[in-house]
């Protein structure tokens, strides 16, 4: 197992506070305008459980399709070739995928590998001239994230982060209501993100592959949600860590972190990230005129929502289907999403995560400059 992890890491690394500025009209997604005469042709890198979920969801996509695969496991490639009718020339391993540069049947690569591999793989995909879609977190720290943004900018390709909730109907409706002033002056936000993790030998509990623990995997939802629900960028953070099982959650793998984010307007967010408690998937936004709650807030759905005006519970569309359709429009048509999903926005989450870990270590407030 250790030799395989070293092999994967080796291959993968080869190579001012502002508001979001949403307008209510921009919150209305139009789904009847397909990107010209083609679909976005996507190669999936890393064929684990989430890649399977994405691929199955893309069967219902109007504007994107699975056109290639990249994996270090030959048996998985053989299975995917049959399931998705993928030709041999669109199948690669981690050693030779730079050759996609000469493949005109692949437009973008969706990186769905362990966190520590994202950086090196993104740089290689960008160098090959293909658009990058990368699962969250986009990297294990802000330095790597910045290098990914710069590499994609230099190559003239898009870098999008797999923030599926930013296309979800209930989430967008609450953001629309906030922008319309229906909650009044925002005062407080709560984000609870956690579950009890299972297999102690999985890569998510290996600091060399995960780059951390619960914060990188599930806590990032609370960070991300705070920003788009409040509609501001935080200017400071404080954080506290609790570890009850130092054997399972070894050095460099956080079990539970509570953290607070402060905003220039005076809003305070109180959040929790954990790998040791279930039933924690809730966002709560409170203002002087009303409130909004999402519970569950980030699960695969359906998402449940309630406001001071009553329940929303808008129709459920598979998140990954919606995400890939909208990302296809971003890449092929230059469409601007309601809530940003680009690498520069993902980099802000990494800066906050870096600051949270710093605050835990030094035991004091850390100022943010996003």
């Amino acid at each position: 197992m250790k030799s395989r992890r070293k092999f994967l890491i080796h291959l993968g690394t080869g190579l001012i506070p502002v508001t979001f500025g949403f307008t209510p009209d921009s919150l209305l997604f139009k789904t009847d305008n397909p990107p010209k005469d083609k679909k976005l042709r996507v190669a999936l890198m890393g064929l684990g459980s989430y890649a399977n979920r994405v691929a199955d969801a893309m069967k219902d996509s109007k504007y994107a399709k699975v056109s290639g695969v990249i994996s270090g496991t030959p048996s998985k490639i053989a299975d995917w070739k049959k399931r998705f009718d993928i030709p041999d020339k669109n199948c690669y391993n981690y050693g030779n995928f730079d050759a996609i540069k000469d493949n005109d049947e692949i437009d973008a690569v969706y990186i769905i590998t362990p966190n520590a591999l994202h950086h090196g793989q993104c740089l290689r995909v960008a160098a090959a001239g293909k658009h990058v879609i990368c699962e969250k977190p986009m990297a294990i720290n802000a330095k790597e994230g910045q290098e990914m943004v710069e590499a994609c900018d230099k190559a003239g390709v898009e870098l999008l982060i797999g923030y599926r909730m930013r296309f979800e109907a209930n989430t967008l409706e609450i953001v629309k209501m906030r922008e319309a002033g229906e909650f009044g002056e925002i005062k407080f936000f709560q984000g609870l993100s956690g579950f009890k993790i299972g297999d102690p030998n999985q890569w998510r509990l290996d600091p060399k592959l995960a780059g951390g623990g619960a914060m990188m995997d599930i806590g990032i939802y609370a960070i991300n949600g705070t920003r788009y629900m409040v509609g501001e960028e935080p200017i400071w953070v404080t954080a506290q860590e609790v570890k009850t099982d130092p054997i399972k959650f070894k050095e460099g793998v956080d079990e539970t972190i509570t953290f607070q984010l402060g905003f220039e307007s005076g809003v305070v967010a109180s959040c929790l990230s954990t790998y040791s408690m279930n039933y924690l998937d809730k966002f709560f936004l409170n203002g002087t005129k009303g409130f909004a709650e999402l519970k569950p807030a980030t699960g695969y759905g359906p998402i449940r929502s309630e406001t001071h005006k009553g329940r929303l519970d808008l129709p459920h569309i598979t998140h990954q289907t919606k995400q890939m359709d909208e990302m296809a429009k971003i890449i092929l048509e230059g469409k601007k999403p309601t809530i940003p999903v680009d690498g520069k926005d993902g980099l802000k989450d990494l800066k906050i995560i870096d600051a949270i870990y710093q605050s835990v270590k030094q035991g004091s407030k850390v100022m943010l400059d996003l």
Side-chain angles (χ1 to χ4, degrees):
M1 189 65 168
K2 289 184 179 179
S3 61
R4 173 172 172 77
R5 288 175 178 171
K6 290 180 181 178
F7 174 71
L8 286 171
I9 293 173
H10 176 72
L11 289 175
T13 56
L15 271 180
I16 5 194
V18 294
T19 62
F20 284 95
F22 302 143
T23 57
D25 287 343
S26 71
L27 291 163
L28 302 177
F29 277 79
K30 297 180 180 179
T31 59
D32 57 352
N33 183 25
K36 303 297 184 288
D37 59 348
K38 62 177 289 187
K39 286 188 174 185
L40 183 70
R41 299 165 300 179
V42 182
L44 299 185
M45 180 185 292
L47 305 182
S49 61
Y50 192 70
N52 276 273
R53 182 180 290 275
V54 170
D56 287 340
M58 286 175 68
K59 292 176 182 178
D60 296 322
S61 175
K62 296 178 181 178
Y63 314 128
K65 66 177 181 178
V66 177
S67 295
V69 292
I70 303 169
S71 174
T73 307
S75 60
K76 288 184 179 180
I77 293 177
D79 175 59
W80 279 62
K81 282 172 58 179
K82 294 178 182 178
R83 288 169 55 200
F84 296 96
D85 193 26
I86 301 171
D88 287 339
K89 67 189 183 79
N90 291 359
C91 299
Y92 302 88
N93 60 49
Y94 295 129
N96 69 9
F97 73 80
D98 308 273
I100 61 172
K101 179 178 181 179
D102 301 315
N103 191 328
D104 60 5
E105 293 184 3
I106 294 174
D107 303 310
V109 174
Y110 194 161
I111 299 173
I112 315 178
T113 55
N115 306 337
L117 308 185
H118 294 176
H119 171 261
Q121 291 168 342
C122 172
L123 267 54
R124 291 172 64 185
V125 173
K130 303 300 181 180
H131 300 292
V132 180
I133 302 171
C134 184
E135 255 313 298
K136 59 81 189 165
M138 61 184 284
I140 61 171
N141 56 52
K143 180 180 181 294
E144 287 192 355
Q146 182 65 48
E147 291 172 355
M148 292 164 67
V149 169
E150 291 173 356
C152 289
D153 282 349
K154 181 179 179 180
V157 299
E158 293 282 354
L159 171 57
L160 305 178
I161 313 303
Y163 290 140
R164 57 188 168 83
M165 302 314 302
R166 296 189 170 201
F167 302 109
E168 195 276 323
N170 294 274
T171 302
L172 291 174
E173 182 62 23
I174 289 173
V175 171
K176 178 181 177 181
M177 291 175 68
R178 189 206 71 233
E179 281 294 308
E182 294 189 41
F183 304 124
E185 183 181 354
I186 303 303
K187 292 293 187 180
F188 175 77
F189 176 80
Q190 182 186 49
L192 305 178
S193 298
F195 64 91
K196 198 166 185 178
I197 198 164
D199 180 9
N201 297 313
Q202 62 181 284
W203 70 261
R204 289 177 179 81
L205 296 176
D206 181 344
K208 291 182 180 179
L209 288 175
M215 183 61 63
M216 304 297 285
D217 182 27
I218 191 72
I220 191 171
Y221 283 108
I223 293 171
N224 203 273
T226 299
R227 295 174 54 230
Y228 61 71
M229 293 286 280
V230 172
E232 286 185 71
E233 301 293 10
I235 60 173
W236 58 259
V237 62
T238 55
Q240 308 80 36
E241 181 178 10
V242 175
K243 185 171 292 192
T244 64
D245 188 346
I247 296 177
K248 185 173 185 178
F249 304 102
K250 56 186 73 72
E251 182 70 24
V253 180
D254 49 285
E255 176 185 350
T256 299
I257 293 180
T258 55
F259 60 97
Q260 303 76 43
L261 297 167
F263 299 80
E264 189 172 37
S265 66
V267 175
V268 174
S270 177
C271 302
L272 172 67
S273 164
T274 186
Y275 263 162
S276 63
M277 290 177 272
N278 286 325
Y279 316 116
L280 289 173
D281 185 8
K282 174 185 174 181
F283 288 172
F284 179 79
L285 185 70
N286 195 25
T288 55
K289 294 182 180 178
F291 75 91
E293 180 180 77
L294 291 166
K295 184 182 179 182
T298 63
Y300 292 140
I303 299 302
R304 300 299 182 191
S305 54
E306 186 168 359
T307 75
H308 60 287
K309 292 186 173 181
R311 299 194 68 85
L312 298 176
D313 291 348
L314 299 176
H316 173 67
I317 298 175
T318 301
H319 297 170
Q320 294 78 11
T321 304
K322 182 67 172 177
Q323 172 193 322
M324 296 310 298
D325 275 344
E326 295 300 332
M327 286 186 167
K329 295 176 187 179
I330 292 170
I331 291 173
L332 297 177
E333 290 189 329
K335 180 176 180 178
K336 299 296 183 184
T338 300
I339 312 175
V341 291
D342 58 87
K344 291 175 183 174
D345 194 83
L347 178 59
K348 294 179 181 180
D349 286 343
L350 290 180
K351 289 180 178 180
I352 295 171
I353 290 175
D354 284 354
I356 287 172
Y357 286 142
Q358 182 183 347
S359 179
V360 165
K361 185 176 181 179
Q362 68 187 37
S364 60
K365 178 186 292 185
V366 175
M367 302 306 294
L368 295 166
D369 182 9
L370 304 184

